[in-house]
Amino acid sequence: VLLRPGIIHTIAPGVRLGAGYTFVATAPYGEVPLAQPLREHRLWQQVTLNHAAGPLAITHRYRWEQRWIAPVNSTGLGAYAYQQRARYMVRAQAPLGGLTYRARPVTGYAQEELLLPVGHGGSAGRFTQNRFHVGAGVPLGTRQRLDVGYMNLWNAIASVPANEIDHTVTLNW
């Protein structure tokens, strides 16, 4: 479960500032599963820059996160650990040929995101996740879109140490 409400404000053409909260509830999954589920609360701040390159719409997002993470054990939640993380995402999207839905163009996209912990011992200064997405955006209205895609998630598991690759279908509204 990932819930991420926030407020984003356009301060100039192609420049947006945002902030919000995230709740994450995980369960063991993947090639190297965690020993127990986790619960996470985050605060985040971001700057998003948009520009065009021919038919492509390019987005750069810079996000800073403050994270409080606790394991779920047989007696409830364990102690919360505090972390910080920087994220950089770049996304390119363009209309997919003549495909339309409700007279609006369907878009194709490719997106790359790198995640870097900041100030945390041995993991600081090295990427711990890489998320590559491809998919299509189906317009639901003038200000709404459903993105359906595939994400290849490379995850560095510090506790093992190991790396895993997860293949995920994504739905974003």
Side-chain angles (χ1 to χ4, degrees):
V1 174
L2 180 127
L3 302 172
R4 188 174 21 229
I7 297 172
I8 298 175
H9 180 69
T10 301
I11 62 169
V15 181
R16 300 169 77 186
L17 296 178
Y21 165 80
T22 301
F23 171 76
V24 180
T26 66
Y29 69 93
E31 298 168 2
V32 186
L34 297 171
Q36 54 203 132
L38 297 175
R39 297 298 177 263
E40 178 177 347
H41 299 275
R42 289 182 209 156
L43 296 177
W44 54 269
Q45 306 80 40
Q46 72 181 34
V47 174
T48 306
L49 306 173
N50 297 304
H51 63 91
L56 292 176
I58 310 290
T59 301
H60 302 271
R61 185 186 70 205
Y62 305 88
R63 181 178 285 169
W64 187 262
E65 298 175 330
Q66 300 80 46
R67 307 169 71 201
W68 292 267
I69 304 167
V72 178
N73 53 43
S74 60
T75 61
L77 279 179
Y80 279 95
Y82 177 73
Q83 297 181 359
Q84 295 182 85
R85 181 167 68 185
R87 296 170 66 161
Y88 169 70
M89 184 270 302
V90 61
R91 176 181 172 122
Q93 66 183 37
L96 280 177
L99 289 176
T100 62
Y101 179 74
R102 296 184 178 177
R104 292 185 175 86
V106 174
T107 57
Y109 66 87
Q111 175 177 314
E112 176 72 19
E113 184 172 21
L114 299 170
L115 291 82
L116 176 70
V118 177
H120 302 288
S123 66
R126 69 177 181 91
F127 293 108
T128 56
Q129 279 190 32
N130 182 64
R131 299 175 180 178
F132 176 72
H133 290 246
V134 291
V138 179
L140 301 177
T142 56
R143 297 178 56 138
Q144 296 184 57
R145 182 180 67 214
L146 178 66
D147 286 351
V148 179
Y150 162 77
M151 177 176 63
N152 181 295
L153 168 65
W154 173 87
N155 203 7
I157 312 293
S159 60
V160 176
N163 297 325
E164 74 175 347
I165 296 175
D166 296 320
H167 306 280
T168 307
V169 173
T170 60
L171 292 172
N172 293 301
W173 174 44

